[in-house]
Amino acid sequence: MKETTKTEERTINVKLIPIFIMGKKYEVPETLTIMKAMEYAGYKFIRGCGCRGGICGACATVYRKPGDYHIQVGLACQTVVEPGMHLTQLPFFPANRATYDLESIGPDPEEVYKIYPELFRCVACNACTKVCPMDISVMDYIAAIKQGDFVKATELSFDCIQCGLCVSRCMGELPQYHIAQMVRRITGSKITPRAEHLKDMVEKIKAGKYNQAIEELKTADMETLKKLYQEREMEPEAASDDWRPGSDAYL
Ligand code: SF4
Ligand code: SF4
Ligand code: FES
């Protein structure tokens, strides 16, 4: 089946294909992502949709293609529809998310083991890695946490968008992404060395060094703001580490 869509400037021919959303059949343009196809079919996203750019992790989708027993997963805003696919959204997965006081926790792996003892239920099946839409080695960051290597776990899990798909397939019933988030928090606050230049800058801000400049921006008219923006000095793309702007008024 074909549908003709008229816009002011052009006519677009799009092929419609059948898909099944929560068991109900719809005909949707073959070029759409699952998210857009659902909206085309009449669904309105109030939850389960955020950035539409593959970053926020709100739009996890579970689907199966005809003639294939495998369950597939993806992000609805990134995955294009396929003929005959059966799908449903998984905007939230009820993973165990512990409450803890980060201030009172040291960089000691035992602290994490105490809060998330299910960590040791991992059977190294690797289902979590296979399902991750961000291609993260989920099993490997879990292994790094079990070994107490929080820096490695932080690096491996850094791109996690908290979609929850890994949890949905875990036979050990681990909340991988919540555990990794706790580990990244500990790494960031207790292990990574403090950035001295950042500390200096915070002190300057607190001392009011930039108050006047902010006030000038807040009271400037649109034309002045545009001019300031267009004429701003930009850091060159290949700037060396010792690059500095011409004026140090805002340093
Ligand atoms: S690690 Fe888990 S929660 Fe994070 S992006 Fe991958 S599947 Fe999603
Ligand atoms: S899916 Fe669960 S049990 Fe399997 S490797 Fe990942 S964390 Fe371990
Ligand atoms: S809407 Fe944010 S990842 Fe899909």
Side-chain angles (χ1 to χ4, degrees), residues 29-112:
E30 65 174 350
T31 52
L32 296 184
T33 60
I34 289 172
M35 182 168 280
K36 286 186 178 160
M38 288 184 72
E39 290 173 326
Y40 179 90
Y43 287 84
K44 187 175 171 188
F45 286 91
I46 296 170
R47 285 184 58 81
C49 169
C51 66
R52 292 177 181 262
I55 296 296
C56 75
C59 63
T61 309
V62 184
Y63 63 94
R64 203 175 52 70
K65 295 194 250 183
D68 187 352
Y69 64 85
H70 290 292
I71 286 288
Q72 316 267 344
V73 297
L75 298 172
C77 69
Q78 301 297 299
T79 310
V80 175
V81 289
E82 291 183 52
M85 73 194 314
H86 282 252
L87 65 93
T88 191
Q89 289 304 98
L90 204 62
F92 172 76
F93 200 88
N96 175 32
R97 184 181 182 187
T99 304
Y100 48 85
D101 173 19
L102 190 62
E103 290 305 314
S104 64
I105 292 174
D108 178 359
E110 289 297 333
E111 303 270 14
V112 177

Side-chain angles (χ1 to χ4, degrees), residues 1-19:
M1 194 191 304
K2 285 207 166 188
E3 178 169 277
T4 301
T5 306
K6 282 190 180 170
T7 68
E8 279 177 14
E9 292 150 11
R10 57 196 175 132
T11 301
I12 307 165
N13 286 319
V14 284
K15 186 176 165 205
L16 297 182
I17 57 169
I19 64 167

Side-chain angles (χ1 to χ4, degrees), residues 128 131-134 136 138 141 159-166 177:
C128 48
V131 87
C132 178
M134 298 300 285
I136 293 171
V138 187
Y141 78 59
D159 289 336
C160 173
I161 56 172
Q162 313 249 340
C163 68
L165 283 168
C166 49
Y177 65 108

Side-chain angles (χ1 to χ4, degrees), residues 121-128 139 142 169-172 174 176:
R121 287 172 51 88
C122 173
V123 294
C125 67
N126 211 25
C128 48
M139 187 178 81
I142 289 296
R169 304 309 300 277
C170 181
M171 66 169 68
L174 276 73
Q176 297 95 325

